[in-house]
Amino acid sequence: MGRAPVNGKRSPPPPPPPGRCHFWLPNKRRYCANSSLPSSQFCGNHLPESASGAGRRVPCPVDPSHTVLEENLEAHVGKCPLKKHVAALAAQPYYSKGINSGGGETGRGVTSAEKRAAVYRLTEDEFQGLIGKIRSVHAAAAVVMRESYLITDACDKWMGGQVDRKVPYQEKHVVQQASIVGNMEAFGLLWRGGTEVVDRESAAVSDHQAVVEFGAGRGYLTQVLVDCYGIRNVFLVERRSYKLKADRSLRQNEDVTLERLRIDNKSFLSGLGITEEEFHAMTWFSSWAVDGDHSSSDSSAGVEETSSEIREKPDQEAIGIERIIRSIPAVERASLGFMCKDIIDTGRLLWLAQKGLAADLVSYVPSNISPENHLLIAKCTS
């Protein structure tokens, strides 16, 4: 909702809708969606301390996405709605706290703000050395991806629009999902009738086949696999909660067993001579490859900020490395972001090969459909 800059300055946001909380969320470029209190312009979560007549609000230690009055913190922690979910998750045999975090502190990842702060602490020589190393590693080691835009006739139902229109999706998403599963079939991960060929002996009974989709988002890839390949057991893993999910359509299918798990799974690069600190910087730089609303209140994923968010603060307030970054032309910054993505994906490809898996890294759709067009596929060789 933010307006275009006028004379180099960002204009103030428009007034909020009637009855809406007046708290502006800069990362989302909109106002808080909650209703304001009868006696205030703000909701209970964003009520200024001076107006609340109570103590200061602090983030909930169980779920920092919301705040509570400091004086009520102890009582709130015992009944926070997320606490029961976290406890149930921790009891599952597949869950190991912090196993994919890549952070030095057990069970804790590195946030986008921490990565950005670490980059801003670099000296100019250190920053330029890091940029030079990224360019050098990319030129020497990054895999040149071949184009593999594959649509099989198994997806004719989706490509022809003959699907439940209650499942909300954009047409370009159909092309993306269809090409992903087309590449999976061509690579030998799927065959018609819902049977994977990763393990042919155990795949004899199709009812035992399962798909675990990490970073599932709204679950449309799994919806395509169910509709077009007959997959019957699906597990959707995602750290965020989404609206307009495919879950409702999937749950209405009596032949499908569905479970959605809220877990944060992040990949960590190893090899190629890149240190952990350099990796964290590269995951932050990777956001420069794409522009658009990819921001998130929990910004510990690979793509964390957009290049437009770098310009939130007026240039005259930026100093040191921050000023240098803002002086880099947008096209050059995007190119560097794509280099980081290529290097990270190459590291993942090499790791899979070291584990004895057959793997391939392809560009599965043209960049005009999606700039996020890398597809890494792997299977057991025995």
Side-chain angles (χ1 to χ4, degrees):
M1 283 180 69
R3 295 180 178 177
V6 178
N7 296 327
K9 296 183 178 180
R10 185 176 294 277
S11 59
R20 180 78 62 82
C21 173
H22 282 225
F23 188 84
W24 178 254
L25 303 170
N27 285 344
K28 297 184 178 180
R29 295 180 177 80
R30 64 168 175 81
Y31 287 95
C32 167
N34 294 333
S35 300
S36 59
L37 296 174
S39 58
S40 172
Q41 293 181 329
F42 301 92
C43 68
N45 286 336
H46 297 127
L47 190 66
E49 294 176 17
S50 58
S52 66
R56 69 188 186 99
R57 302 187 72 86
V58 296
C60 168
V62 179
D63 180 12
S65 66
H66 66 274
T67 61
V68 294
L69 289 173
E70 189 172 29
E71 61 203 54
N72 298 335
L73 184 60
E74 184 176 354
H76 171 81
V77 167
K79 59 183 180 182
C80 178
L82 191 62
K83 186 175 183 180
K84 183 181 294 186
H85 168 79
V86 171
L89 178 63
Q92 299 302 316
Y94 51 75
Y95 179 76
S96 180
K97 184 177 180 180
I99 192 170
N100 294 315
S101 67
E105 184 179 335
T106 302
R108 182 184 178 279
V110 181
T111 67
S112 175
E114 290 170 333
K115 295 174 185 178
R116 180 178 60 242
V119 171
Y120 287 172
R121 286 195 298 269
L122 296 175
T123 66
E124 183 173 349
D125 286 345
E126 289 171 335
F127 177 75
Q128 296 298 346
L130 175 58
I131 298 300
K133 185 172 186 178
I134 290 171
R135 296 185 188 280
S136 176
V137 170
H138 185 270
V143 171
V144 178
M145 284 178 290
R146 61 182 177 85
E147 294 184 359
S148 183
Y149 180 39
L150 298 177
I151 305 292
T152 69
D153 57 5
C155 293
D156 284 352
K157 177 180 178 181
W158 273 78
M159 295 298 293
Q162 301 171 352
V163 295
D164 183 0
R165 297 304 302 183
K166 293 180 181 179
V167 178
Y169 61 87
Q170 297 180 28
E171 297 302 325
K172 70 173 185 177
H173 294 155
V174 176
V175 173
Q176 289 175 254
Q177 315 299 4
S179 185
I180 289 175
V181 298
N183 274 279
M184 291 171 67
E185 179 180 331
F187 194 68
L189 289 174
L190 293 170
W191 63 10
R192 308 297 172 89
T195 304
E196 296 183 10
V197 297
V198 172
D199 182 350
R200 289 185 182 275
E201 292 182 3
S202 63
V205 182
S206 62
D207 286 347
H208 292 170
Q209 300 312 294
V211 167
V212 182
E213 185 181 353
F214 291 92
R218 292 180 171 86
Y220 297 143
L221 175 58
T222 290
Q223 180 80 63
V224 173
L225 287 168
V226 168
D227 288 351
C228 303
Y229 287 86
I231 300 296
R232 292 292 173 256
N233 300 290
V234 295
F235 299 84
L236 306 179
V237 181
E238 175 59 60
R239 64 187 177 89
R240 292 179 55 192
S241 177
Y242 280 88
K243 297 179 180 179
L244 305 177
K245 300 187 291 286
D247 300 36
R248 182 175 181 180
S249 173
L250 290 168
R251 293 186 192 281
Q252 289 176 345
N253 188 330
E254 295 181 355
D255 295 328
V256 173
T257 300
L258 168 68
E259 186 171 354
R260 179 176 280 270
L261 311 170
R262 286 191 64 182
I263 310 174
D264 189 4
N265 280 264
K266 299 184 283 293
S267 299
F268 192 81
L269 180 70
S270 62
L272 299 180
I274 294 171
T275 67
E276 182 175 337
E277 292 76 15
E278 290 168 340
F279 167 74
H280 290 318
M282 288 171 56
T283 58
W284 187 65
F285 293 160
S286 70
S287 66
W288 301 348
V290 291
D291 202 358
D293 188 15
H294 285 266
S295 59
S296 168
S297 57
D298 179 3
S299 52
S300 55
V303 176
E304 301 152 17
E305 297 182 358
T306 65
S307 56
S308 60
E309 288 176 314
I310 296 173
R311 302 188 294 271
E312 281 293 316
K313 189 187 296 182
D315 285 346
Q316 59 267 27
E317 295 181 16
I319 59 174
I321 299 303
E322 183 178 7
R323 179 177 288 275
I324 293 174
I325 289 175
R326 295 186 185 198
S327 70
I328 300 174
V331 173
E332 184 179 342
R333 201 162 52 217
S335 175
L336 186 66
F338 278 115
M339 288 183 187
C340 291
K341 284 180 173 292
D342 290 346
I343 293 170
I344 291 169
D345 285 338
T346 296
R348 291 167 174 161
L349 182 69
L350 294 175
W351 183 88
L352 289 167
Q354 289 173 355
K355 297 298 181 181
L357 279 74
D360 197 8
L361 180 62
V362 300
S363 173
Y364 73 96
V365 289
S367 59
N368 64 336
I369 294 180
S370 173
E372 300 274 19
N373 61 353
H374 295 187
L375 178 64
L376 178 61
I377 46 182
K379 65 180 179 180
C380 296
T381 56
S382 58

